Amino acid sequence: MSNAAAPKLKGAKPTVFIDGEAGTTGIQIRDLLAKEPGIEVKSIAAEARKDVNAKRDIMASVDVVILCLPDEAAKEAVALGDTLGTDRPRFIDASTAHRVSPGWTYGFPELAKGHAEAVASAANVANPGCYPTGGIALLRPLVDAGLMAPDYPVAVNAVSGYSGGGKSMIEAYEAPQPGVHAPAFELYGLTLHHKHLPELTTYSHLTRTPIFVPSVGNFRQGMLVSVPLHLDTLKHVSSAGMLRDCLAAHFAGQKYVHVETGAETVALKGKLEPEALNGTNKLELFVFWNDMRGQAVLVARLDNLGKGASGAAVQNLKLMVGMA
């Protein structure tokens, strides 16, 4: 199915099925939609969740299916939907299965001018990863404006709350078993082959794959994504203020993305904690710099379960059903 035009609703108000509603992201999405009386959420009985016929029937009855599943299960769910012909629902996939796939629109409405409209009319929307949401927000505006070359050797560092690691990691921190120890802080992905790299590279408009070093801390949710820069290696950049101005121009007028002003950044006194946006769909962008050294650090702050997952899914859903 193409992304050319949004189909009409199947009933009086939008209907959605969350496939995988018992998982971390699915629970968060359901909680958010409980506050949206204009959207009806349909569910399958717990004992029928693996019944293909039951899933096929509910897919045929709803306008949008949100997939909160492992990658292979997400692909199988889309294939099942493709058998429904004119009853095929639209999809929002929260897995990594389709983020750089043809026929799928990347679900970051603020990505570029006109992209929210592309999401609104899409048949298939790939919900962004939490880390790439921050990284792309910092990098894409600079590349598009010509301030950063597409082949710039980017390094991205990030820390997330442990909820981003799914059920097993959450249990390790919150309900550890004998002999199981969850560290206070841990680097991971040190094979330099993280699953988020394809979308981070593609939607930042980079031609050189960034070095990406993620980490997890002993807090449930919240995220910081940072990009260090030497200003003299950037094209046409004479001051760090140009970077902040570029970000501010790119995201001007956006409801959920805020670029911090110089005064706001100075007030932080060189410190930034990751949990300030928990429970929101907000994304904050900062530029910290040292003029004497000619160095800057770009930082994105978000809730890894909000703008980094469930909040983004609900934002995309509301665009797709004409409620945003």
Side-chain angles (χ1 to χ4, degrees):
M1 181 179 289
S2 73
N3 286 342
K8 294 180 180 179
L9 298 178
K10 295 178 179 178
K13 66 179 182 179
T15 52
V16 61
F17 165 52
I18 306 167
D19 194 355
E21 66 176 15
T24 304
T25 300
I27 291 171
Q28 292 271 334
I29 292 172
R30 190 170 182 87
D31 288 346
L32 289 173
L33 290 179
K35 303 172 186 177
E36 299 287 345
I39 298 175
E40 180 184 355
V41 179
K42 294 189 176 184
S43 297
I44 293 178
E47 64 273 14
R49 284 176 184 163
K50 295 186 179 181
D51 184 323
V52 174
N53 290 326
K55 185 177 290 190
R56 191 176 189 277
D57 288 345
I58 197 168
M59 280 186 175
S61 72
V62 299
D63 297 298
V64 180
V65 173
I66 302 178
L67 303 174
C68 302
L69 302 168
D71 286 9
E72 288 307 313
K75 292 176 183 178
E76 292 171 2
V78 173
L80 180 63
D82 286 342
T83 68
L84 295 173
T86 57
D87 286 332
R88 183 195 191 274
R90 301 162 78 190
F91 284 96
I92 298 173
D93 184 7
S95 80
T96 62
H98 298 103
R99 288 182 185 160
V100 293
S101 298
W104 286 77
T105 297
Y106 194 58
F108 187 6
E110 302 89 354
L111 180 66
K113 184 178 180 180
H115 198 72
E117 290 78 8
V119 171
S121 63
N124 304 312
V125 172
N127 220 49
C130 50
Y131 290 126
T133 296
I136 292 165
L138 296 171
L139 295 167
R140 174 68 175 265
L142 305 186
V143 176
D144 283 358
L147 301 183
M148 177 181 284
D151 64 348
Y152 188 88
V154 172
V156 178
N157 302 291
V159 60
S160 173
Y162 57 76
S163 57
K167 183 178 179 180
S168 60
M169 183 174 285
I170 292 171
E171 289 179 348
Y173 278 92
E174 296 186 350
Q177 301 299 310
V180 177
H181 172 69
F185 180 85
E186 183 177 39
L187 292 178
Y188 66 100
L190 295 176
T191 60
L192 303 183
H193 193 63
H194 195 277
K195 65 180 181 179
H196 286 162
L197 281 169
E199 65 183 291
L200 178 59
T201 305
T202 298
Y203 298 110
S204 294
H205 278 176
L206 295 171
T207 57
R208 185 197 297 257
T209 303
I211 295 174
F212 174 48
V213 184
S215 60
V216 61
N218 190 6
F219 53 97
R220 181 175 175 82
Q221 62 196 86
M223 174 171 284
L224 296 174
V225 181
S226 60
V227 178
L229 296 170
H230 290 274
L231 299 183
D232 63 0
T233 65
L234 297 172
K235 291 184 175 182
H236 316 300
V237 176
S238 58
S239 71
M242 292 179 65
L243 303 178
R244 188 187 65 229
D245 292 346
C246 178
L247 295 176
H250 187 94
F251 295 108
Q254 294 294 343
K255 179 179 180 181
Y256 296 111
V257 183
H258 175 65
V259 180
E260 298 294 307
T261 66
E264 289 171 318
T265 303
V266 169
L268 293 167
K269 298 181 179 180
K271 298 180 180 180
L272 199 61
E273 58 88 14
E275 299 177 274
L277 298 182
N278 285 2
T280 78
N281 191 49
K282 295 179 180 179
L283 170 64
E284 292 179 337
L285 306 179
F286 304 81
V287 180
F288 299 91
W289 69 86
N290 184 306
D291 285 329
M292 183 177 68
R293 297 187 183 280
Q295 297 172 340
V297 178
L298 314 181
V299 185
R301 175 161 62 182
L302 63 156
D303 179 357
N304 60 293
L305 295 182
K307 186 63 171 167
S310 56
V314 172
Q315 181 185 357
N316 288 326
L317 172 65
K318 292 174 73 174
L319 281 167
M320 293 168 74
V321 299
M323 292 180 64

